[in-house]
Amino acid sequence: MLSLLLRADEILHQRFNASRATDARALFTLAACIVVFGCAYGAVMGTFGGFSGERLWQVAYSASKVPLLFLATFSIAAPSFLVLNVLFGLRDDVPDVLRALLAAQAGVAIVLCSLAPVTAFWYFSSDDYHAAILFNG
Protein backbone atom coordinates (compact mmCIF):
# COMPACT_ATOMS: atom_id res chain seq x y z
CA MET A 1 0.00 0.00 0.00
CA LEU A 2 2.93 2.30 0.68
CA SER A 3 4.28 1.81 -2.84
CA LEU A 4 0.84 2.64 -4.26
CA LEU A 5 0.72 5.78 -2.14
CA LEU A 6 4.20 6.85 -3.24
CA ARG A 7 3.34 6.21 -6.91
CA ALA A 8 0.13 8.23 -6.52
CA ASP A 9 2.10 11.08 -4.98
CA GLU A 10 4.47 11.04 -7.93
CA ILE A 11 1.58 11.03 -10.41
CA LEU A 12 -0.36 13.79 -8.66
CA HIS A 13 2.69 16.09 -8.65
CA GLN A 14 3.50 15.78 -12.36
CA ARG A 15 1.83 17.18 -15.42
CA PHE A 16 0.34 14.62 -17.75
CA ASN A 17 1.68 14.29 -21.27
CA ALA A 18 -0.70 12.60 -23.69
CA SER A 19 2.11 11.34 -25.91
CA ARG A 20 3.76 9.27 -23.19
CA ALA A 21 3.04 5.57 -22.98
CA THR A 22 3.19 5.70 -19.18
CA ASP A 23 -0.05 7.68 -18.96
CA ALA A 24 -2.10 4.48 -19.17
CA ARG A 25 -0.14 3.11 -16.23
CA ALA A 26 -0.61 6.38 -14.35
CA LEU A 27 -4.36 6.30 -14.94
CA PHE A 28 -4.45 2.69 -13.76
CA THR A 29 -2.55 3.71 -10.63
CA LEU A 30 -5.03 6.53 -9.94
CA ALA A 31 -7.96 4.16 -10.40
CA ALA A 32 -6.27 1.66 -8.09
CA CYS A 33 -5.86 4.42 -5.49
CA ILE A 34 -9.57 5.17 -5.67
CA VAL A 35 -10.45 1.51 -5.17
CA VAL A 36 -7.87 0.65 -2.49
CA PHE A 37 -8.10 3.78 -0.34
CA GLY A 38 -11.86 4.10 -0.87
CA CYS A 39 -12.37 0.51 0.26
CA ALA A 40 -10.14 1.08 3.27
CA TYR A 41 -12.14 4.09 4.44
CA GLY A 42 -15.43 2.39 3.65
CA ALA A 43 -14.39 -0.59 5.75
CA VAL A 44 -13.69 1.71 8.68
CA MET A 45 -17.07 3.38 8.19
CA GLY A 46 -18.72 -0.03 8.40
CA THR A 47 -17.12 -0.90 11.73
CA PHE A 48 -19.65 0.97 13.84
CA GLY A 49 -21.02 -1.64 16.20
CA GLY A 50 -18.05 -3.97 15.95
CA PHE A 51 -17.02 -6.93 13.83
CA SER A 52 -18.90 -9.84 15.38
CA GLY A 53 -21.44 -12.02 13.59
CA GLU A 54 -23.34 -10.37 10.81
CA ARG A 55 -21.54 -7.05 11.29
CA LEU A 56 -18.68 -8.35 9.14
CA TRP A 57 -21.02 -8.19 6.15
CA GLN A 58 -21.66 -4.53 6.93
CA VAL A 59 -17.91 -3.84 6.82
CA ALA A 60 -17.63 -5.52 3.40
CA TYR A 61 -20.72 -3.72 2.10
CA SER A 62 -19.48 -0.32 3.29
CA ALA A 63 -16.05 -0.99 1.80
CA SER A 64 -17.61 -1.59 -1.61
CA LYS A 65 -19.89 1.46 -1.45
CA VAL A 66 -17.20 4.15 -1.33
CA PRO A 67 -15.49 3.29 -4.66
CA LEU A 68 -18.93 2.91 -6.23
CA LEU A 69 -19.80 6.38 -4.98
CA PHE A 70 -16.67 7.75 -6.63
CA LEU A 71 -17.61 5.97 -9.87
CA ALA A 72 -21.12 7.44 -9.72
CA THR A 73 -19.86 10.98 -9.17
CA PHE A 74 -17.34 10.56 -11.98
CA SER A 75 -20.15 9.35 -14.27
CA ILE A 76 -22.26 12.37 -13.38
CA ALA A 77 -19.50 14.97 -13.56
CA ALA A 78 -17.70 13.82 -16.73
CA PRO A 79 -20.51 14.57 -19.23
CA SER A 80 -21.02 18.10 -17.91
CA PHE A 81 -17.29 18.79 -18.11
CA LEU A 82 -17.22 17.43 -21.65
CA VAL A 83 -20.13 19.66 -22.70
CA LEU A 84 -18.51 22.71 -21.12
CA ASN A 85 -15.23 21.98 -22.88
CA VAL A 86 -16.98 21.71 -26.24
CA LEU A 87 -18.97 24.92 -25.62
CA PHE A 88 -15.83 26.85 -24.71
CA GLY A 89 -13.92 25.46 -27.69
CA LEU A 90 -11.58 23.32 -25.64
CA ARG A 91 -12.32 20.03 -27.33
CA ASP A 92 -8.62 19.09 -27.42
CA ASP A 93 -8.41 19.32 -23.63
CA VAL A 94 -10.98 16.58 -22.98
CA PRO A 95 -8.39 13.87 -22.11
CA ASP A 96 -6.71 16.28 -19.72
CA VAL A 97 -10.04 17.05 -18.04
CA LEU A 98 -10.81 13.36 -17.57
CA ARG A 99 -7.35 12.78 -16.12
CA ALA A 100 -7.82 15.74 -13.79
CA LEU A 101 -11.17 14.37 -12.58
CA LEU A 102 -9.58 10.98 -11.94
CA ALA A 103 -6.63 12.57 -10.13
CA ALA A 104 -8.96 14.69 -7.99
CA GLN A 105 -10.98 11.68 -6.96
CA ALA A 106 -7.82 9.72 -6.18
CA GLY A 107 -6.68 12.61 -3.99
CA VAL A 108 -10.00 12.66 -2.16
CA ALA A 109 -9.84 8.89 -1.61
CA ILE A 110 -6.34 9.24 -0.14
CA VAL A 111 -7.47 12.03 2.17
CA LEU A 112 -10.51 10.01 3.27
CA CYS A 113 -8.26 7.05 4.06
CA SER A 114 -5.98 9.32 6.08
CA LEU A 115 -9.02 10.33 8.15
CA ALA A 116 -9.96 6.71 8.87
CA PRO A 117 -8.21 6.68 12.28
CA VAL A 118 -10.29 9.68 13.35
CA THR A 119 -13.46 7.90 12.27
CA ALA A 120 -12.41 4.72 14.07
CA PHE A 121 -11.66 6.69 17.23
CA TRP A 122 -15.08 8.34 17.05
CA TYR A 123 -16.83 4.99 16.59
CA PHE A 124 -14.98 3.25 19.41
CA SER A 125 -15.49 6.12 21.85
CA SER A 126 -19.23 6.56 21.28
CA ASP A 127 -22.19 4.24 20.96
CA ASP A 128 -24.66 6.81 19.61
CA TYR A 129 -25.62 5.78 16.08
CA HIS A 130 -27.16 9.15 15.17
CA ALA A 131 -23.96 10.94 16.18
CA ALA A 132 -22.02 8.55 13.95
CA ILE A 133 -24.29 9.37 11.03
CA LEU A 134 -23.81 13.09 11.66
CA PHE A 135 -20.06 12.54 11.91
CA ASN A 136 -19.95 10.97 8.44
CA GLY A 137 -22.11 13.76 7.05
Side-chain angles (χ1 to χ4, degrees):
M1 186 168 347
L2 182 62
S3 64
L4 181 63
L5 189 58
L6 292 174
R7 176 80 175 124
D9 182 53
E10 176 187 321
I11 292 168
L12 292 174
H13 281 96
Q14 73 181 359
R15 180 162 171 81
F16 283 99
N17 187 354
S19 64
R20 288 192 331 201
T22 59
D23 270 355
R25 185 171 163 214
L27 293 177
F28 178 77
T29 302
L30 290 174
C33 284
I34 293 171
V35 171
V36 169
F37 294 114
C39 282
Y41 183 74
V44 171
M45 277 182 28
T47 60
F48 185 82
F51 299 106
S52 63
E54 296 291 319
R55 296 295 303 169
L56 195 57
W57 286 106
Q58 178 63 37
V59 173
Y61 179 68
S62 294
S64 66
K65 283 194 316 185
V66 174
L68 290 175
L69 178 65
F70 281 124
L71 176 66
T73 57
F74 183 81
S75 300
I76 291 170
S80 63
F81 279 116
L82 295 177
V83 168
L84 287 174
N85 276 350
V86 170
L87 288 176
F88 292 130
L90 303 171
R91 185 179 295 233
D92 295 336
D93 292 339
V94 169
D96 292 332
V97 169
L98 293 178
R99 285 185 199 104
L101 282 173
L102 196 61
Q105 289 192 338
V108 168
I110 291 169
V111 169
L112 276 177
C113 190
S114 72
L115 294 173
V118 176
T119 303
F121 178 75
W122 180 274
Y123 285 175
F124 295 134
S125 64
S126 173
D127 63 348
D128 185 15
Y129 182 69
H130 296 294
I133 291 174
L134 287 174
F135 180 77
N136 283 313

